[in-house]
Amino acid sequence: MGPWLLLAAACALWATPGEAHSACRAPPHLWCSSKEIAQACQAEQLCARKAAHRASPPVSVQLYYESLCPACRGFLSNQLFPTWVMLNEILNVTLVPYGNAQERKAEGKWHFDCQHGQEECQGNMMEACLIHLLGDLDLYFPVIFCMESGSDVVGNLLPCLKVYAPELSLANVTACVNGDLGSQLMHQNAQRTDALKPPHKYVPWIVINGKHTEVLQSLAMEALFRMVCNLYQGEPPSACQGQLPATPSPSPPNICLRS
Ligand SMILES: *[C@@H]1O[C@H](CO)[C@@H](O)[C@H](O)[C@H]1NC(C)=O
Ligand SMILES: *[C@@H]1O[C@H](CO)[C@@H](O)[C@H](O)[C@H]1NC(C)=O
């Protein structure tokens, strides 16, 4: 492009915002609701990018974990949650709290034994109940992140609920945790975990787009954000462009082995 052409282009850019302002009367969240509005608001490029995102399936990350395993807490708090905050448009997260627990049936009821003791079973159950009662990742992931990133996972339930899901009362969660619903939900998580192929050998156990391999696992543990950007098939969101944030490598021990 010659200098005059550049200048002309610059003038054209310079001249349009005034017109756009007068024609664009829609608030930003409606800019892509029709072609006319997108044009009037000069959001056509932005809307094309949004449409491209919707056209490609999101990268799916399933996390099989247990509430008190330090490596699970580290991965969830330092990798998965921040990556989801930045890339939620292109990322489908599934949380399955159960991990290396074991179940047995006695007198018609399921009983659970957890690697880090009864408190871990309680934490798993609370999180399974939050997932069920809140139903939407946008609502329950912040509560679970808040619990897992604090000093006392189980003790953090109430303060985390108050901040991130005040519409759900502690009584509702407690009723689920202590009732049949909680043990049904945990039994479902046990079945999903036991159905893993290959079977899990440790947690956190990460499944990317339906697959678990040692290579995918270590890429995810080292730099999940970069991995999601690289795997996404559509137009990458702006967060993926430029310098990708470097993530600290996990400090050992970075897994909880299945016994
Ligand atoms: C997200 O993943 C779950 C399985 O983990 C799947 O059932 C669901 O359809 C996926 N959602 C999208 C939008 O791809
Ligand atoms: C919480 O429990 C109360 C009383 O059992 C019930 O009426 C209400 O619908 C529950 N709320 C939720 C969000 O489950």
Side-chain angles (χ1 to χ4, degrees), residues 133 168-169 172:
L133 295 172
L168 185 64
S169 76
N172 289 78

PDB file of all heavy atoms in Angstrom, residues 133 168-169 172, ligand 2:
ATOM      1  N   LEU A 133     -27.235 -29.073  41.974  1.00  0.00           N
ATOM      2  CA  LEU A 133     -28.229 -28.076  42.401  1.00  0.00           C
ATOM      3  C   LEU A 133     -28.126 -26.784  41.594  1.00  0.00           C
ATOM      4  O   LEU A 133     -29.137 -26.153  41.293  1.00  0.00           O
ATOM      5  CB  LEU A 133     -28.067 -27.759  43.896  1.00  0.00           C
ATOM      6  CG  LEU A 133     -28.351 -28.910  44.862  1.00  0.00           C
ATOM      7  CD1 LEU A 133     -27.961 -28.517  46.285  1.00  0.00           C
ATOM      8  CD2 LEU A 133     -29.830 -29.311  44.806  1.00  0.00           C
ATOM      9  N   LEU A 168     -28.380 -19.986  46.547  1.00  0.00           N
ATOM     10  CA  LEU A 168     -28.491 -21.361  47.052  1.00  0.00           C
ATOM     11  C   LEU A 168     -28.159 -21.337  48.544  1.00  0.00           C
ATOM     12  O   LEU A 168     -27.121 -20.830  48.950  1.00  0.00           O
ATOM     13  CB  LEU A 168     -27.502 -22.266  46.306  1.00  0.00           C
ATOM     14  CG  LEU A 168     -27.564 -23.757  46.632  1.00  0.00           C
ATOM     15  CD1 LEU A 168     -28.902 -24.360  46.216  1.00  0.00           C
ATOM     16  CD2 LEU A 168     -26.424 -24.488  45.926  1.00  0.00           C
ATOM     17  N   SER A 169     -29.069 -21.892  49.367  1.00  0.00           N
ATOM     18  CA  SER A 169     -28.807 -21.834  50.808  1.00  0.00           C
ATOM     19  C   SER A 169     -27.964 -23.027  51.234  1.00  0.00           C
ATOM     20  O   SER A 169     -27.974 -24.087  50.603  1.00  0.00           O
ATOM     21  CB  SER A 169     -30.118 -21.812  51.577  1.00  0.00           C
ATOM     22  OG  SER A 169     -30.675 -23.110  51.578  1.00  0.00           O
ATOM     23  N   ASN A 172     -29.892 -26.235  51.670  1.00  0.00           N
ATOM     24  CA  ASN A 172     -30.153 -27.046  50.481  1.00  0.00           C
ATOM     25  C   ASN A 172     -28.971 -27.976  50.183  1.00  0.00           C
ATOM     26  O   ASN A 172     -29.174 -29.121  49.820  1.00  0.00           O
ATOM     27  CB  ASN A 172     -30.397 -26.158  49.260  1.00  0.00           C
ATOM     28  CG  ASN A 172     -31.720 -25.433  49.343  1.00  0.00           C
ATOM     29  OD1 ASN A 172     -31.836 -24.444  50.052  1.00  0.00           O
ATOM     30  ND2 ASN A 172     -32.715 -25.927  48.655  1.00  0.00           N
TER      31      ASN A 172
HETATM   32  C1  LIG B   2     -34.104 -25.232  49.051  1.00  0.00           C
HETATM   33  O1  LIG B   2     -34.906 -25.901  50.015  1.00  0.00           O
HETATM   34  C2  LIG B   2     -36.201 -25.352  50.169  1.00  0.00           C
HETATM   35  C3  LIG B   2     -36.880 -26.074  51.346  1.00  0.00           C
HETATM   36  O2  LIG B   2     -36.720 -27.460  51.251  1.00  0.00           O
HETATM   37  C4  LIG B   2     -36.949 -25.505  48.851  1.00  0.00           C
HETATM   38  O3  LIG B   2     -38.249 -24.974  48.964  1.00  0.00           O
HETATM   39  C5  LIG B   2     -36.186 -24.751  47.772  1.00  0.00           C
HETATM   40  O4  LIG B   2     -36.807 -24.933  46.529  1.00  0.00           O
HETATM   41  C6  LIG B   2     -34.744 -25.254  47.680  1.00  0.00           C
HETATM   42  N1  LIG B   2     -33.986 -24.420  46.742  1.00  0.00           N
HETATM   43  C7  LIG B   2     -33.181 -24.939  45.846  1.00  0.00           C
HETATM   44  C8  LIG B   2     -32.457 -23.947  44.978  1.00  0.00           C
HETATM   45  O5  LIG B   2     -32.989 -26.128  45.686  1.00  0.00           O
END
